[in-house]
Amino acid sequence: MVVKVYGPAYGCPKRVLVCLIEKQIEFETVDVDLIKGEHKEPEFLKLQPFGVVPVIQDGDYTLYESRAIIRYYAEKYREQGTELLGKTIEERGLVEQWLEVEAHNFQPPIYNLVMNVVFGPIQGVPSDTKAVQESDEKIAKVLDIYEEKIIR
């Protein structure tokens, strides 16, 4: 069965696509145009009541939230493709730690930056210079920590 991934090929859905590729899982993408507001239409809200992407359909099973999806496939297809969760409980702990770091320290400022620099202007909303500067500073700190702790 081919997994359907709903969302654009950027942002949070990209996490899911990379996981599926690494796990060698066949998938198809179903584009959801965020600019046109397709994620807020009634048909999409039946899949994802909060109106955000990504969403997957795997047969009769529907799941949303990118990190939940990648954890699901990494576990379901643990023996297939690249090992993503770690081979020991300690490695799994580190995987979970860095997923949480990304969720709470990288995602919020990068989201604010992208909304202010990319999507706001497309929709005619002026950028918030202060928010851009604050987000840029937060991202710089996070990336410095990534380089220090992960890239050795």
Side-chain angles (χ1 to χ4, degrees), residues 7 10 30 71 93 96 108 132 141 144 151:
Y10 57 85
V30 179
R71 286 176 172 114
E96 293 296 335
V132 169
K141 287 180 184 178
D144 286 345
I151 305 170

Side-chain angles (χ1 to χ4, degrees), residues 32-90:
V32 177
D33 190 327
L34 303 180
I35 302 297
K36 291 181 181 175
E38 292 177 355
H39 59 301
K40 301 297 184 185
E41 292 180 2
E43 281 303 306
F44 186 79
L45 293 172
K46 289 177 186 174
L47 294 173
Q48 213 297 10
F50 299 104
V52 295
V53 294
V55 177
I56 60 96
Q57 285 187 311
D58 190 347
D60 293 335
Y61 185 64
T62 301
L63 187 63
Y64 47 85
E65 293 298 331
S66 62
R67 291 172 198 85
I69 295 167
I70 64 176
R71 286 176 172 114
Y72 167 74
Y73 282 114
E75 188 66 48
K76 182 176 179 179
Y77 295 96
R78 188 172 203 108
E79 303 303 319
Q80 181 175 312
T82 304
E83 172 57 59
L84 299 176
L85 298 174
K87 294 181 174 122
T88 66
I89 192 68
E90 291 80 11

